[in-house]
Amino acid sequence: MPALTLREILALDSVRSAAPSLLAGQDGLDRPVRWVHSSEVYEGANFLDGGELLLTNGFGLADADAASRRRYVRELAARGAAALAVEVGRSLPRMPDEVTDEARSLGLPLIALCRVVPFVRITEAANRAIVARGLSGRAVRPWGADHTAALLADLADRQALNQPEVEARAALAGFRPGPGSRLVGVSVHGPQHAAAAAIDRSARAVGGAGVLRAGFPGDVLALLALPDTGTRDPVRALQEALRAAAEPSLTVAVGHTVPTGAGWLRWSDTLRTARTTLELALTVPPASPCPAEGPLVTSSRALALERELTRGGVDANRDRLSRLVEHTLGPLLSWEAAHPSDLVRTLETHLRHGCSPTRTAALLHIGRQSLYQRLERIESLLGLEIDDPDLLGELLAATCAHRVVRGMGAAGAGGLRTVA
């Protein structure tokens, strides 16, 4: 369905009550309007992405000189604004001639609002109409009129959005998180019906206040509103619920939590982090032995080091990570190539679990004496003490990079599927 036009916006009751008068840009009445903003900031053009109707009461124009007013109109046109609507009668007794002249020369529709109407009334009505029309004005997504999928895709792809638009579109999809809740992104790989069911069941189990969920090629993506109890880690609680609800065939990645009122960019961050974490979970061998049965449920915090090492893309970091591995772990890799052993994995497991022999031996299913022999071999080959605090960061980064590089090779050979 085509986008709402400027002509249709001007016909809305809330706009008509402001007695709009078109002073310039008559040929632009059929322009699509992507969103309606109000701003009293003189540099308002900097906040536009194109296709917006900007409302202003003229405070920023009242004290500006003629050249500044012309520049203001030129900047709006350069940013692709659909139109400019200025309230006249309070701060501006009349529309400045230079504003009208510049708008005419640029073909920018210029509207004088001759009666005072709260802008919030206009923006709410207009943006609600835009949402209901189907939010066109952007390239048509493969999922068409599926508002939930379109919103999640725009958030995950960090399309040009703004908070009122995100909230309006979320409300249209039935997602209205309360001010005291926290949002977390979840990305699930596997049969979509099973993934959707697991997300819904786990959300209910943790007392979730809402779920925004849709299926995409490669994953089911969701944004969950969780209660902020202040006494329990919401990510940990959600992971436990997902382990109980998910089928063994699923791989689940949980993002970090963000406050509902933190803004749409933070909403986007947790969704993007969940997707990146899922890609790594599908590509990189796990750091610690996993249970033979049940789903793989991980989180952005569990794969934080992997995400940092691959920031900017897995393939883009291949050479850098390979050099790190060779520089730090070269003697271990040479030994492992000539002798069947598990020294690199032993080293990483030991480092990740506080250098505790008891925990490391239990996770590797070996006796403590066997573990001590491996650790002595590692220290002998590397010529260092692995519990030296100055070395812990480098050793852990290198052992993690080794797994990432191994995962790259498996994915490149077709052994694993990512969700890039």
Side-chain angles (χ1 to χ4, degrees):
M1 186 169 294
L4 212 65
T5 66
L6 179 58
R7 188 188 305 274
E8 291 173 303
I9 294 287
L10 294 176
L12 294 173
D13 289 342
S14 60
V15 182
R16 291 173 59 192
S17 64
S21 175
L22 186 65
L23 304 181
Q26 286 81 359
D27 292 341
L29 282 172
D30 293 318
R31 288 183 178 183
V33 177
R34 187 176 69 82
W35 204 247
V36 179
H37 288 295
S38 65
S39 175
E40 307 316 324
V41 179
Y42 182 68
E43 296 82 5
N46 296 331
F47 303 102
L48 301 184
D49 297 304
E52 297 95 343
L53 165 60
L54 180 64
L55 310 177
T56 178
N57 59 21
F59 287 155
L61 296 173
D63 297 326
D65 58 29
S68 298
R69 289 169 175 172
R70 288 182 180 274
R71 184 170 60 251
Y72 174 75
V73 177
R74 287 197 300 272
E75 289 175 351
L76 291 178
R79 295 289 292 193
L84 170 64
V86 182
E87 180 188 281
V88 295
R90 290 198 297 174
S91 59
L92 282 175
R94 55 185 292 275
M95 188 72 73
D97 291 338
E98 54 272 16
V99 173
T100 304
D101 181 65
E102 197 68 24
R104 284 174 179 163
S105 67
L106 296 170
L108 177 69
L110 175 66
I111 301 137
L113 302 177
C114 303
R115 285 203 295 266
V116 176
V117 173
F119 282 166
V120 66
R121 189 181 304 168
I122 295 176
T123 57
E124 285 183 352
N127 291 332
R128 190 180 301 116
I130 290 171
V131 170
R133 175 61 65 88
L135 304 159
S136 47
R138 292 197 185 92
V140 176
R141 294 275 186 165
W143 30 89
D146 186 336
H147 294 302
T148 301
L151 175 55
L152 285 170
D154 283 347
L155 285 170
D157 294 341
R158 192 161 281 187
Q159 293 284 335
L161 296 168
N162 55 74
Q163 193 62 28
E165 178 180 352
V166 169
E167 291 176 357
R169 294 173 66 180
L172 184 70
F175 186 68
R176 299 177 178 84
S181 60
R182 299 188 67 83
L183 304 183
V184 59
V186 176
S187 184
V188 185
H189 177 70
Q192 293 210 348
H193 67 282
I199 290 171
D200 292 346
R201 285 198 297 269
S202 60
R204 289 193 296 269
V206 296
V211 177
L212 196 66
R213 168 181 54 74
F216 300 91
D219 72 336
V220 171
L221 188 62
L223 190 64
L224 279 63
L226 306 181
D228 187 3
T229 63
T231 58
R232 190 181 184 194
D233 179 358
V235 171
R236 180 71 65 185
L238 182 58
Q239 283 186 261
E240 293 173 358
L242 284 163
R243 287 192 184 96
E247 296 181 0
S249 59
L250 298 178
T251 302
V252 184
V254 179
H256 55 279
T257 62
V258 299
T260 297
W264 77 268
L265 285 172
R266 298 285 298 280
W267 297 24
S268 173
D269 284 343
T270 186
L271 288 169
R272 292 164 66 87
T273 299
R275 268 198 161 162
T276 301
T277 302
L278 178 63
E279 180 179 356
L280 289 169
L282 292 170
T283 307
V284 178
S288 299
C290 296
E293 299 180 353
L296 172 59
V297 179
T298 189
S299 67
S300 60
R301 60 174 63 154
L303 295 182
L305 183 53
E306 289 85 343
R307 289 189 297 109
E308 287 301 317
L309 290 174
T310 58
R311 187 174 295 276
V314 173
D315 288 337
N317 289 280
R318 184 187 301 268
D319 292 342
R320 179 178 65 85
L321 296 182
S322 297
R323 289 194 298 270
L324 171 63
V325 171
E326 183 60 33
H327 169 75
T328 308
L329 304 176
L332 291 189
L333 299 177
S334 297
W335 176 271
E336 289 193 337
H339 307 84
S341 58
D342 202 9
L343 298 184
V344 175
R345 182 164 173 257
T346 298
L347 175 58
E348 183 176 15
T349 302
H350 192 58
L351 294 172
R352 282 181 174 270
H353 293 85
C355 295
S356 166
T358 301
R359 296 176 66 187
T360 304
L363 286 167
L364 295 175
H365 303 290
I366 60 175
R368 292 184 58 164
Q369 191 59 40
S370 296
L371 173 64
Y372 290 137
Q373 292 173 356
R374 290 188 188 182
L375 296 178
E376 290 174 2
R377 175 72 66 183
I378 292 170
E379 291 186 332
S380 174
L381 290 169
L382 295 181
L384 48 78
E385 296 180 1
I386 59 178
D387 59 354
D388 184 342
D390 292 340
L391 298 172
L392 293 179
E394 181 181 10
L395 289 174
L396 184 56
T399 55
C400 181
H402 178 60
R403 283 187 298 105
V404 172
V405 171
R406 285 168 52 207
M408 290 176 183
L416 290 167
R417 182 172 182 275
T418 66
V419 196

